[in-house]
Every structure is written in C-alpha cells, then in structure tokens.
Amino acid sequence: MKLSNILFLVMTVTFISGCAQSSALIRAGSTNIRRDIFKETVVGGTIPAGHADLKIDFSVKTHKPGVYSAKDIHGTPDYRLLVNIDGQAMPLQGRLWAESAESRGLRDSEAGDGIRYQFTKNVRLKAGSHKIILAIIEDDIAVEREFTLADGSRNSLVLEPIYRTVPGSRRPGANNAPSFQDGIRGLQVNLNDKPI
C-alpha cells in the first residue's frame, strides 16, 4: 500500500472518530439533567460566599444564508451555541450582523462577506471544579473541558473558532488558508486568557 493511501486512511479514520466523539458530546450536552448548577447574572455586584462568576464569550463568522442550501441555518438567528455545565444545558442565541472585512494578510481567515455572531452570557455557579460541554450543533463541533473557579472570583471563558482549510478550494486567493467560508473544524477554549 502506498504511503499516500495509508495517510489518507489514517486521516479518514481520525475524522470519523472525531465526528463520532462530537456527536456523542452533543447528545450528552443537549440533555438537561440538572437545573441548579448555575443561574444567569449580570456583571458586577457582590458575589455570594462559595460562588464564582463566569462570563462566556464567543465570536464567530459564517457564510451568508442560502449559500449551500435553502435549509442551511448558517447566517440565520437559528445558528446557536450550546453550553452545558455539569448537566445543566443552555442554548445561546447570538447577536448577528452582516460583516464585510478586508484581508489583513494572506492568511486572514475572516476576510470577505459573511455573518458575524457574538454569543455572550454571564452565569454564577458554585466555586470549585466543573465540567463544561460547548457545542455548535449545526457544524457537529463539540468540546468538553474541566476547569476550577476560585471562591469569589470573576472569570472569563472565551471561545475562538478554528476555521477549516479545504485543499483545492476554488476561493480566490485561498492558497489553502483557513477561511470562515469553509466552516469550522474546532474550538479553542481559554479560561482567563489561558488555554484549557
């Protein structure tokens, strides 16, 4: 078997395995088995003893609606971020607007015309260790992380999209650079400016 065939097989198995893991996390994250883990709050004010605040932020750009099919929800209000902390699920609807961005370099993954989403939510939960599932159901992307919050702390959980690279893409000037137009392949999760 040629080396190129072996590499293709390994990449295919890895992709299928990743999709299966994401699908399982999405199923688990969509189930609301608790209702007492966190409550929505506003920024500021006194944090009760034994609790911590967490601000969740995610900014992502997608293609405009109807680019690939009439049923595609990219670019519409139905595109959501699913957050599940310790079994309590919360689908977030983002604020969206049309965005046209000029390229800031050869590998600018957000250059071009699309729809920008901003997802933001502030929650209060008990201090200590927690497990979180973050998912974009439409893109079959899900990640699971564990984190610990100190008593009385204010924390920031920021998600960053990892855009796809499509080899052989016909986009002008693509040069195999990642682009929002090719979709999302993953999420980078940062807690208080540190990857988790």
Side-chain angles (χ1 to χ4, degrees):
M1 188 177 265
K2 290 183 178 179
L3 181 59
S4 61
N5 291 343
I6 293 171
L7 288 174
F8 177 76
L9 181 62
V10 169
M11 288 173 36
T12 302
V13 168
T14 302
F15 175 76
I16 291 169
S17 172
C19 288
Q21 289 173 347
S22 287
S23 295
L25 280 177
I26 288 170
R27 279 192 305 278
S30 298
T31 306
N32 199 1
I33 58 174
R34 302 278 305 264
R35 296 191 183 275
D36 59 343
I37 300 298
F38 61 82
K39 65 177 183 174
E40 293 181 42
T41 186
V42 294
V43 176
T46 303
I47 300 172
H51 289 79
D53 282 358
L54 181 67
K55 181 179 182 183
I56 302 166
D57 269 317
F58 179 43
S59 178
V60 64
K61 191 170 181 178
T62 72
H63 59 267
K64 291 182 175 182
V67 169
Y68 297 109
S69 80
K71 295 180 181 180
D72 184 6
I73 67 169
H74 289 88
T76 73
D78 294 329
Y79 188 78
R80 309 247 170 141
L81 172 67
L82 174 67
V83 177
N84 184 310
I85 304 174
D86 297 337
Q88 183 175 344
M90 172 177 56
L92 300 182
Q93 183 172 359
R95 190 170 54 90
L96 66 146
W97 62 93
E99 180 181 273
S100 181
E102 294 293 322
S103 179
R104 295 173 299 198
L106 288 176
R107 302 187 75 70
D108 185 356
S109 60
E110 294 189 338
D113 294 334
I115 301 296
R116 167 73 61 191
Y117 289 85
Q118 181 65 51
F119 298 92
T120 303
K121 189 60 71 177
N122 297 296
V123 297
R124 179 164 291 155
L125 58 166
K126 289 185 179 176
S129 296
H130 298 279
K131 187 179 288 188
I132 189 168
I133 296 172
L134 302 152
I136 304 171
I137 296 170
E138 180 66 20
D139 293 322
D140 200 29
I141 300 292
V143 295
E144 182 178 44
R145 300 288 188 269
E146 292 186 24
F147 61 91
T148 302
L149 303 179
D151 190 1
S153 63
R154 296 186 196 283
N155 304 275
S156 174
L157 187 78
V158 177
L159 299 127
E160 298 172 8
I162 302 169
Y163 295 111
R164 281 198 172 104
T165 302
V166 177
S169 174
R170 295 209 179 265
R171 285 183 292 106
N175 297 328
N176 289 332
S179 172
F180 76 92
Q181 296 175 11
D182 294 327
I184 299 173
R185 68 176 174 88
L187 296 169
Q188 171 65 45
V189 183
N190 302 301
L191 179 64
N192 300 326
D193 297 322
K194 295 179 183 173
I196 58 170

